[in-house]
Each structure stands twice: as structure tokens, then as C-alpha cells.
Amino acid sequence: MEMPEIVRFAPSPTGEIHIGNARTALYNWFLALQTGGRFILRFDDTDVERSREAYAEAIAADLDWLGIVPARVERQSARLARYDAIAEDLRTRGLLYACYETPDELERKRARQRARGLPPVYDRAALALTEAERAAFEAEGRRPHWRFKLPEGARSWDDRCRGPQIVNLGTVSDPVLVRADGSYLYTLPSVVDDLDFGVTTVVRGEDHITNTGVQIALFEALGGEAPAFGHHNLLTRQDGEPLSKRDNPLSVTRLRAEGYEPMAVASLAVLVGTSHPVEPVADMANLAGKAPLSAVSKGPAMFDPADLKRLNAALLHDMPYEAAADWLDARFGLADRMFWETVRGNLALRGDAAEWFDIWQNAPRLTDASGAPILAREDAAVIAAADALLPPDPWGEETFKAWTGAIRAETGAKGKALFMPLRKALTGREQGPEMAAFILLLGRERIIHRLASAKVALGVG
Ligand code: GLU
């Protein structure tokens, strides 16, 4: 057994999470699941202006829907005193230094560096300020922001998705850890929390690779050991653009409301952009087994929303009655194995079962949406023969074949001319489940009534 992994998923509650964030959450969840470890849900909510409790609640509900059960939920907004103490310690040690440049001044510096062909790295001018210069800025009303003094050299790690990685800290600006208003940017709280909560592996998107080099240096400065890291590729849209929090059609909350299966969303979120084919996996333990971090590709993970529909339908088509029974009971007040097994092959979303439940329970209208009759004059002979030749009970798997064989012998109709009138008369639709199964679901009594209605509609009753 591997060491139990302590992982965390750390969204900012500033919007709904999308399927790409679900990918991050699930990869973390699998590590916890497979090693008997723990999954921490950590809300990175130090940005009080943009963070919303409603988003935190929606994210928790989304994870629950995906089958992820956090062992612990934490909020950074509740830990500010801890961050203050750490920041104070870094200040005392000269590792967190006050800077007074305005955004405009910083932009001008960067423009000058670029013009000279230099990388736009912060020049540490603030480190050279005298007490008097600092006092003068303060007297002007300027409040300092605080930068972490990065050490020399490079930091490297063996990435669990990407193999050996290296970040040269000389090419990175000393990161601002504390804003002028005293609020924290993401870096310091994240590192402090990862240490305090004993996180063993950080799995997140590859957009954080440079941050990781910086964070390793901060872990060291705090006297801690950096966790392991795995940076997975990011889901992109078909045009190669990354998903953003504003990709509402792909928000997990939205997909949930639209009635997608959680395992369809999870299968796509996890398998796209890996060495595995994108296929539906019905259970979480299986999906976890298919998605080791080492299977993640190096290139982007192109996401096709049409795949979600395909996976969803495929999951439903194979979904055993036992997996659907509770939902059927809650939705229709009736869980019926034969109903489920007859209609599941025709569902794109499970909610589509409502249409077939209605067609099963209630005689269908024999007119189309515009009110035109769906049965035609030439269907009359088949319908009349069907009524006359309806087999006696008991019915079984061979009944439909025997019945239609008898109708064919009587009328000479075959193929579509034989089957379509029956389908239309019994279901009010031109497409749907296998009729051999559907007639067993309907039973003899309902069929007698429906054929009688069809005869009346055709004027042969
Ligand atoms: N709140 C950060 C984000 O959403 C967390 C990144 C991380 O996992 O460290 O990007």
C-alpha cells in the first residue's frame, strides 16, 4: 500500500467551477481514494471583494454530486491571523520587504527593460530604500505592498504528470505576497495551508508551474518541506482557447441542472487529454484506476462538448435497473424494471424517460405537433389486422414476432409498411424503443384500447 496522500482542491469562490476544475478536483480525489488518504476542500477566499458564499455552497454541492467527499473543509478567510504571524516573521528576517512603486511606475520599469531586451523582472529597487526615503513615501500617503525575496538559483521537482521540471528563480520577479491594503495574494496563504494541513501532493493545472518554483522557495523559507507536485494539462475549447470561469455552459452547476450523469461529466473531465480513449466509465473506482497522473498528456486537452452527450447516452444505455431504481421511484413514484430496460436505450438524458413514461401510461395523441393525423389511410389494413390478430395472453419475447408474422400473412405488408403503423398507433411516435419489448411493457389491455383509438382515427372502427 502506498503512503496515504493528503491532497487539496483549492478553488476561489468567485464563480462556478467548470469541467476543467472538475478535472483538477477528480485527480486529487483519486489520489486520496487510491491511497486511503484525505481530500481537503480549501476555499481560497482571501479576495473578499469577489468571493461569494453562494459560490462556495455551489462548489461544495458540485463536488458532492461528482461523488467527492471532502474529509475537511477550510476557508482562508478564517486563517488571516495565522498568515499575519507568518508574514511578520518573514519581515523580521528580511525576507518580506516593503515596496512603494505604483502600478504605473512598475509598468514604466518593465517597458524600459523590454526596450533594452531584458526580461521584465522586478529590479529590487525597494531593497535599497533608506529609512528617510521610506518615511517620505509614507508621508505622501503611500502604503507599501510586500514582496518575498526569492533566493538565488533554480528550483526543480519531479512532476507526477510531467516528469522533471525546473524553474530558474532569476527569471521571476520577487512575488508580491501582501497588497497595499494588507490583503493576501494567493501564494503565501496557499503555502502556509499546505504546510499546516500536511498536504503531501499538490495536483493542479499546468498554469501554476512557475508558481511552483516560487512556492518551493517559500516552503523552504518557512522551514517546511515542499509537497510533491503534479501539473496536469488544461482543458481547452475546440478553438484552443482555455475554459474560463465565464464558460457557464460548461459549469458543473449548469451540467448538473441540465440532467447530465455525474459519471459522464467525470469520465470526460478525467479521460480527455490522457493516453486513454474517452469512454464512459460507470464507477468512480474504475475511473480512478484508469487515470494515474502519469497518463496525462503533455499537450492541451481538447474538449468537445458533443462528447459529453455521447458519453451520457452511452452510460444510460448500459445503466442497470438497480442504479436507476431510486431515481425512477423519486421521479415517477414507480420504479419498474421492464420500463427502464425498455426505454434506457432511447435516452440522451435520464429526464427523457418522462416522455416514455407518459407514452407508457397514457394513450398517445394520434396527431403531430401541428395537429395533423399521424396515421395515414394506407395504414388502415395493418391496424385492422393487428386488432383482429392480437395474440392471447400470456405474452413473451416471441409475441411481437408471432403477431407481426400473422399481420403480414393477412395483409401482405412488410418492412416499414408493417411496423410503422403499429409503432405510430401504440406510441404516437415514429421512433422509439424496440417494439418487441414495448408491447410487453404496454400489455394486452392497453394495446386493445390503443388499436381501437387508431381504428376510430382511421375511420375503420
Ligand atoms: N486558488 C488557486 C486557483 O484556483 C489554487 C491553485 C492551487 O491549487 O494551488 O488557481
Side-chain angles (χ1 to χ4, degrees):
M1 182 78 180
E2 292 167 77
M3 282 282 292
E5 294 270 12
I6 300 178
V7 297
R8 85 302 193 274
F9 174 59
S12 306
T14 55
E16 292 172 357
I17 55 169
H18 56 57
I19 190 158
N21 305 121
R23 177 180 183 79
T24 308
L26 286 162
Y27 275 115
N28 277 292
W29 172 239
F30 292 159
L31 271 191
L33 204 60
Q34 291 189 307
T35 60
R38 289 155 68 81
F39 175 100
I40 301 168
L41 170 57
R42 184 184 90 196
F43 290 112
D44 285 4
D45 58 352
T46 55
D47 183 346
V48 285
E49 290 288 304
R50 292 171 57 233
S51 296
R52 296 277 177 280
E53 183 53 29
Y55 287 132
E57 280 167 20
I59 291 168
D62 290 343
L63 295 187
D64 183 64
W65 179 74
L66 286 167
I68 295 174
V69 186
R72 179 171 179 180
V73 180
E74 291 286 345
R75 278 161 208 272
Q76 294 192 325
S77 56
R79 291 175 41 81
L80 297 178
R82 173 76 179 140
Y83 310 142
D84 288 346
I86 297 280
E88 202 41 48
D89 175 55
L90 290 171
R91 279 189 194 99
T92 315
R93 293 157 56 204
L95 293 175
L96 189 63
Y97 61 97
C99 302
Y100 292 87
E101 293 92 345
T102 64
D104 275 354
E105 287 164 355
L106 288 171
E107 188 42 51
R108 280 200 294 278
K109 274 188 201 217
R110 284 193 289 265
R112 278 198 300 275
Q113 286 168 314
R114 277 192 289 261
R116 286 161 47 206
L118 297 171
V121 175
Y122 179 62
D123 62 5
R124 292 185 165 168
L127 273 178
L129 290 176
T130 63
E131 272 309 319
E133 285 166 327
R134 243 183 250 134
F137 281 134
E138 299 271 347
E140 265 177 43
R142 292 203 196 191
R143 291 282 160 270
H145 55 274
W146 298 83
R147 288 189 192 260
F148 172 53
K149 189 164 175 261
L150 286 172
E152 303 281 306
R155 291 297 178 274
S156 55
W157 69 96
D158 191 10
D159 196 278
R160 295 191 60 177
C161 301
R162 303 169 59 89
Q165 299 292 305
I166 184 159
V167 173
N168 178 357
L169 297 179
T171 63
V172 186
S173 294
D174 285 345
V176 177
L177 300 189
V178 190
R179 294 190 188 88
D181 65 3
S183 67
Y184 289 93
L185 281 109
Y186 143 80
T187 305
L188 177 120
S190 181
V191 168
V192 171
D193 288 355
D194 287 342
L195 277 178
D196 286 357
F197 304 157
V199 169
T200 55
T201 299
V202 169
V203 181
R204 58 189 172 193
E206 64 189 11
D207 50 334
H208 283 288
I209 285 179
T210 307
N211 289 343
T212 296
V214 168
Q215 289 180 12
I216 289 174
L218 190 53
F219 277 109
E220 288 165 6
L222 298 182
E225 200 183 319
F229 292 92
H231 293 88
H232 62 73
N233 53 4
L234 298 177
L235 292 196
T236 66
R237 308 177 69 84
Q238 289 298 84
D239 56 10
E241 286 297 309
L243 304 186
S244 79
K245 282 225 163 120
R246 271 144 278 292
D247 273 317
N248 280 333
L250 299 175
S251 99
V252 177
T253 303
R254 174 84 77 100
L255 297 172
R256 175 154 65 94
E258 284 175 4
Y260 282 96
E261 300 300 311
M263 285 311 298
V265 174
S267 298
L268 183 58
V270 166
L271 294 175
V272 75
T274 69
S275 53
H276 293 286
V278 177
E279 61 188 10
V281 181
D283 113 336
M284 195 60 97
N286 266 343
L287 187 58
K290 274 182 171 290
L293 290 169
S294 57
V296 172
S297 321
K298 303 262 180 347
M302 286 267 199
F303 167 86
D304 181 356
D307 277 341
L308 191 55
K309 295 210 166 75
R310 174 176 68 79
L311 294 183
N312 205 77
L315 272 177
L316 291 168
H317 297 177
D318 289 337
M319 185 177 284
Y321 168 70
E322 288 70 20
D326 287 349
W327 177 80
L328 289 168
D329 191 32
R331 178 71 179 73
F332 302 115
L334 175 63
D336 185 277
R337 176 184 294 275
M338 195 192 278
F339 170 68
W340 179 251
E341 290 177 351
T342 302
V343 306
R344 64 185 171 184
N346 284 80
L347 309 180
L349 295 170
R350 65 167 74 187
D352 298 346
E355 181 184 352
W356 293 106
F357 190 83
D358 185 47
I359 291 170
W360 172 31
Q361 293 291 319
N362 305 302
R365 267 197 260 134
L366 296 177
T367 48
D368 67 15
S370 68
I374 58 168
L375 287 164
R377 190 72 224 139
E378 58 269 26
D379 298 331
V382 166
I383 297 299
D387 186 36
L389 298 168
L390 194 63
D393 279 327
W395 284 9
E397 269 173 34
E398 297 301 312
T399 301
F400 188 69
K401 206 168 160 205
W403 184 32
T404 50
I407 302 169
R408 183 190 300 115
E410 169 77 15
T411 62
K414 49 184 196 281
K416 206 175 163 200
L418 170 60
F419 294 107
M420 192 53 81
L422 294 175
R423 180 177 285 288
K424 289 191 292 189
L426 299 182
T427 71
R429 299 282 184 286
E430 292 190 356
Q431 270 147 16
E434 284 293 327
M435 287 305 289
F438 203 75
I439 65 157
L440 301 181
L441 181 65
L442 284 174
R444 201 166 184 277
E445 279 308 303
R446 281 199 178 90
I447 291 180
I448 289 170
H449 280 108
R450 290 181 192 197
L451 290 173
S453 302
K455 283 169 67 182
V456 169
L458 285 163
V460 294

